[in-house]
Amino acid sequence: MKILLFLELFLLFRYLFLNVGTGKNVPRPTEVNVGALFTFESTIGRVAKVAIQEAVKDVNDDPTILSHTKLNVIMRSSNCNGFIGTVQALQFMETKVLAIIGPQSSVVAHIISHAASELQVPLLSFAATDPTITPLEFPLFVRTTQSDSYQMTAIADIIKYYGWKKVTVIFVDDDYGRNGMSALDDALNERRCKISYKVGIRPGTGVSRSEIMDILVKVAMVESRVIVLHVNPSSGFTILRVANYLQMMGNGYVWISSDWLSSVLDSSIPHPPEMEGTMHGVIVLRQHTPDSTRKSAFISRWRNLTGGAFGLNSYGLYAYDSVWLIAHAIDAFLNQGGIISYSNDSKLTNLKGNNLHLDAMSIFDGGKRLLENILQADVMGLTGRLKFDPDRSLVHPAYDILNVIGTGYHQIGYWSNHSGLSTRPPETLYTRPPNHSGENQQLNSVIWPGGTTTVPRGWVLPDSGKKLKIGVPIVIGCPEYVSRVPGSDNLFTGFCIDVFIAAIDLMPYGVPYEFVGYGDGHENPSYSDLVAMVASGDFDAAIGDISIVTRRTKFVDFTQPYAESGLVVVAPYKTLNSGPWTFLQPFTPLTWCVILAFFIVVGVVIWILEHRVNEEFRGSPAQQLATTLWFSFSTLTFTHRENTESAAGKAVLLMWLFVVLILTSSYTASLTSILTVKKLSSPIDGIDSLMAGNQHIGYQHGSYSQQYLIKELNISENRLIPFNSPEDYGAALQDGHIDAVVDELPYVELFITRQCKFRIVGQEFTRSGWGFAFPRDSPLAPDMSTSILRLIETGDLDRIRDKWVTKNSCDSQNDAEIQSTQFELKSFLGLFLISGIACLLSICIFFAKLSLKFGHTSRVRQDSSPTRRLRTLLSLIDEKKDTSKIQEKSRNDEESVTS
């Protein structure tokens, strides 16, 4: 009996564990309740209400989902106001619902998400786009639309595409507006653009026309003409009407609106009558939903549902899909055996103040499990694929880019997180690798405010009555380049000043400016400090003889260079006169020694190769020595009379004659130059001499040459001596106070036209130029560069230079050359190498043949002693080869040819 009782208990436990515990046989509820919280009378809410009702109807009519269970959505209107909306949302939390679709407002979503997390009720918001509502802080919040972080990235890409650098942002001053503006600021910074001016508007419907007019008057006075509008419809249309009244919807302005405007336009049937006058040329974003048969059918059905009272916007589509998404999640929850149950929250029960009725709110026990099913969903909806990435964002975020024209709008392109801006629908690009390159970004033509198709510049000079402060260095020397007019504070003349004025006159718009001197007038100021003041905003620009160097470009933007200004070395020189030994100057002593050695070597090699076969190279030792030397040196003038008979000898002679031809030609050219062109000599031949030696070097105070010599060339600072102007160089070089000067080319050219005793030695060892400095991303810099290029193309820049920088008599000596030109051994190393190899190969072949003959002769004579073997070798070398057979064969060949 005990055994049977044990078996019965075991079977009962197994049944309860496998069936009841897993919930497989738990009966499904006949209905499930889901809440919906949004503002019924708003633009989004009016459309969302109908969309949610139709979605509930479609879900309940579909037998494949929530089988035998009815979905019931309890909708309640909520004010978008932070406090009232939050109270209404908390009251709604008292109802027993599995999830809540909403809230619509980002402000309410921030607060109600805390309650949802505590009560384990998932929130599915189809309209709260605030990018700061993240799952890290709000784990039960699920965004079933696109985050504003993507929308602001799309706006930033549009701004970059058209080349604008600064924008003005008008935003509603709540969580939705502030955080959207912050996301735009981050996206712009990544693209080297920025928000130059931002202004917030009071949330709600109580913003007066006068308040908005005050705001727009301030906006009209700033530099940027690109205005991003991220507000609510209640204030957005008032802003556009006031902007049109203030003539801010005309030429030169750019208005970019976030998707609040497209939601209103899509919902309005017909479009607002003031649309043509107040919105013409505005660029608008709209959340992209791919075209599909199901979407087209729903749009057709929508017209019947509303009777044409209002249209369908993208938020209505996301609201419809949110219902289907929660329905699939609940179906999966029930299929997994989930039990719908609630429990009291002890934290709320223990709180004081029972008048708040906090104990009426209960925890949904299956909330986390339901949330997992929501996040794991992967279904197709009216808006496309409903699937979440690890950050809980819907996959494939994309936006339509619209251009308002008249009483309608046309689409100029798309933006997607996959490939940026494109004229092709994003869904056609997902099969390709992501491509955000500049060449791949495309948009169709736009009709801008004012009816123009020309892309607006996007900025104007601020209409504040202030002039641009242009910093000008007060330099001591070189008045030809920059000079302050005596007796004045802010009047300047010179080459650099005239170039700036000429470039300003070519600008397509007026630029009011004033010159402000920089420096004490006693010594040259630091040009790096002047550039730093432009970067800090103390000056709006800096002009003058400012060199464009790498470290300065990190802080400011330079224009196109208008003058070359690389560093060169200046040193004293002396004139070289012709002397009795001038004929030796074309070659260095080492080159002469090698040439002499090769004459002797080639003569010896020819003697060795010809001695056994050529009668002209035989005779007494004295006769053979004289013949060898005569033959070798006579090749210098190609007057040698001896013939070579061996093939090896002819090859060596041919190579040597080629070498002699090159040597004589080079010698003749160099000697002619030495005797006809004036030569200058200097103990310093360039920057390499200064780096290797310990000479004292002068430089101009305030120039970048000091830092370059110290940091780049590692020259000791103790060797560097500053001067205020190039005029001071001459005396210091003459009395030996310094040995050379390192300065920029324009200064040096001016200096040597006045001081004929000094010359540039070596080559220009840096490449730079003079330019005008502007703050980073200043729109003036590229326009000034264009003006400078026009000055160059028309020749006006050369005429300005000729006006200030004139030549004098010293320039006639510019044809003289520093140091005489001598050919070094390395210039002919290849020729000597060829001739040497020919000699070596011929000798090797000769002695190889001689060795074979010597071995044969030694074996025949049976020489055993070293003395006899040496005599045999010498006799073979001196032995005359019998050439009678060769000569006879040659005569026979000649006779046969003659016959």
Side-chain angles (χ1 to χ4, degrees), residues 814-833:
N814 284 340
D815 294 334
E817 299 178 3
I818 295 294
Q819 296 183 344
S820 61
T821 302
Q822 284 187 320
F823 289 109
E824 298 181 355
L825 178 60
K826 62 182 180 180
S827 302
F828 306 106
L829 192 59
L831 292 173
F832 289 132
L833 184 62

Side-chain angles (χ1 to χ4, degrees), residues 104-107 109-110 125 127-134 138 141 143 145-149 174-181 183 230:
Q104 172 185 332
S105 168
S106 295
V107 177
H110 266 282
S125 178
T129 56
D130 182 355
T132 64
I133 306 178
T134 63
F138 307 111
F141 179 85
R143 195 191 323 269
T145 186
Q146 302 297 345
S147 168
D148 272 344
S149 62
D174 59 11
D175 291 337
Y176 159 75
R178 284 191 303 270
N179 296 327
M181 183 270 299
H230 186 53

Side-chain angles (χ1 to χ4, degrees), residues 166-227:
K166 298 179 180 179
V167 302
T168 297
V169 179
I170 302 175
F171 62 96
V172 59
D173 197 6
D174 59 11
D175 291 337
Y176 159 75
R178 284 191 303 270
N179 296 327
M181 183 270 299
S182 178
L184 176 61
D185 192 24
D186 293 340
L188 289 173
N189 288 334
E190 293 175 1
R191 292 154 180 80
R192 289 195 62 183
C193 306
K194 66 178 183 180
I195 298 174
S196 61
Y197 184 72
K198 55 189 175 184
V199 56
I201 291 181
R202 250 184 331 113
T205 58
V207 184
S208 65
R209 180 183 175 88
S210 60
E211 287 182 73
I212 292 178
M213 185 169 293
D214 291 340
I215 290 173
L216 290 182
V217 168
K218 295 178 181 178
V219 170
M221 296 177 65
V222 300
E223 176 182 298
S224 173
R225 284 295 181 263
V226 181
I227 303 172

Side-chain angles (χ1 to χ4, degrees), residues 95-112:
T95 61
K96 299 295 189 293
V97 292
L98 277 66
I100 295 177
I101 299 174
Q104 172 185 332
S105 168
S106 295
V107 177
V108 176
H110 266 282
I111 302 174
I112 199 62

Side-chain angles (χ1 to χ4, degrees), residues 243-462:
N244 185 61
Y245 173 78
L246 295 175
Q247 298 183 353
M248 295 175 65
M249 298 298 295
N251 289 336
Y253 280 92
V254 176
W255 288 83
I256 303 176
S257 171
S258 57
D259 61 359
W260 68 267
L261 182 54
S262 61
S263 299
V264 176
L265 297 181
D266 288 339
S267 304
S268 301
I269 300 178
H271 288 151
E274 69 272 17
M275 181 176 175
E276 182 174 3
T278 61
M279 290 180 251
H280 185 75
V282 177
I283 294 179
V284 187
L285 271 70
R286 178 177 63 192
Q287 298 185 64
H288 175 72
T289 55
D291 292 332
S292 63
T293 304
R294 187 179 174 193
K295 175 184 171 182
S296 300
F298 186 78
I299 293 175
S300 300
R301 178 175 152 198
W302 183 269
R303 298 188 184 99
N304 297 326
L305 292 172
T306 60
F310 52 88
L312 175 64
N313 57 40
S314 59
Y315 286 104
L317 296 175
Y318 280 109
Y320 181 92
D321 282 351
S322 298
V323 175
W324 276 92
L325 185 64
I326 191 62
H328 281 284
I330 294 174
D331 189 44
F333 173 80
L334 296 177
N335 290 337
Q336 295 165 359
I339 300 176
I340 300 175
S341 62
Y342 298 86
S343 58
N344 294 329
D345 189 343
S346 58
K347 298 177 183 178
L348 296 177
T349 304
N350 296 331
L351 287 176
K352 301 295 183 179
N354 293 329
N355 293 333
L356 296 176
H357 302 289
L358 297 178
D359 54 349
M361 293 186 286
S362 303
I363 297 175
F364 175 36
D365 297 327
K368 291 185 177 180
R369 193 170 179 182
L370 179 61
L371 176 66
E372 292 177 1
N373 290 323
I374 294 172
L375 298 178
Q376 293 173 1
D378 187 1
V379 296
M380 292 300 298
L382 298 182
T383 59
R385 187 180 182 187
L386 300 177
K387 179 178 173 60
F388 296 94
D389 62 18
D391 295 330
R392 292 195 187 178
S393 296
L394 289 174
V395 296
H396 303 320
Y399 285 84
D400 299 333
I401 304 175
L402 312 175
N403 181 207
V404 178
I405 301 176
T407 57
Y409 52 77
H410 81 285
Q411 189 157 336
I412 61 173
Y414 305 88
W415 178 90
S416 69
N417 197 41
H418 182 79
S419 296
L421 301 175
S422 173
T423 55
R424 301 179 59 185
E427 53 270 18
T428 64
L429 303 175
Y430 293 142
T431 56
R432 303 180 181 180
N435 187 352
H436 288 267
S437 63
E439 297 79 6
N440 192 56
Q441 307 300 295
Q442 294 179 348
L443 288 176
N444 293 321
S445 61
V446 178
I447 304 297
W448 302 100
T452 179
T453 57
T454 303
V455 178
R457 190 170 66 243
W459 68 276
V460 294
L461 293 174

Side-chain angles (χ1 to χ4, degrees), residues 478-544:
C478 296
E480 291 83 354
Y481 294 124
V482 179
S483 176
R484 184 168 61 175
V485 176
S488 66
D489 293 331
N490 297 322
L491 294 179
F492 293 85
T493 61
F495 167 68
C496 301
I497 304 300
D498 281 2
V499 172
F500 176 78
I501 294 174
I504 284 289
D505 291 341
L506 291 177
M507 299 277 275
Y509 45 86
V511 181
Y513 64 90
E514 62 179 351
F515 293 137
V516 179
Y518 176 72
D520 56 12
H522 301 293
E523 64 177 17
N524 290 339
S526 169
Y527 284 73
S528 295
D529 292 344
L530 174 60
V531 170
M533 294 186 69
V534 175
S536 64
D538 295 319
F539 289 127
D540 297 309
I543 67 171

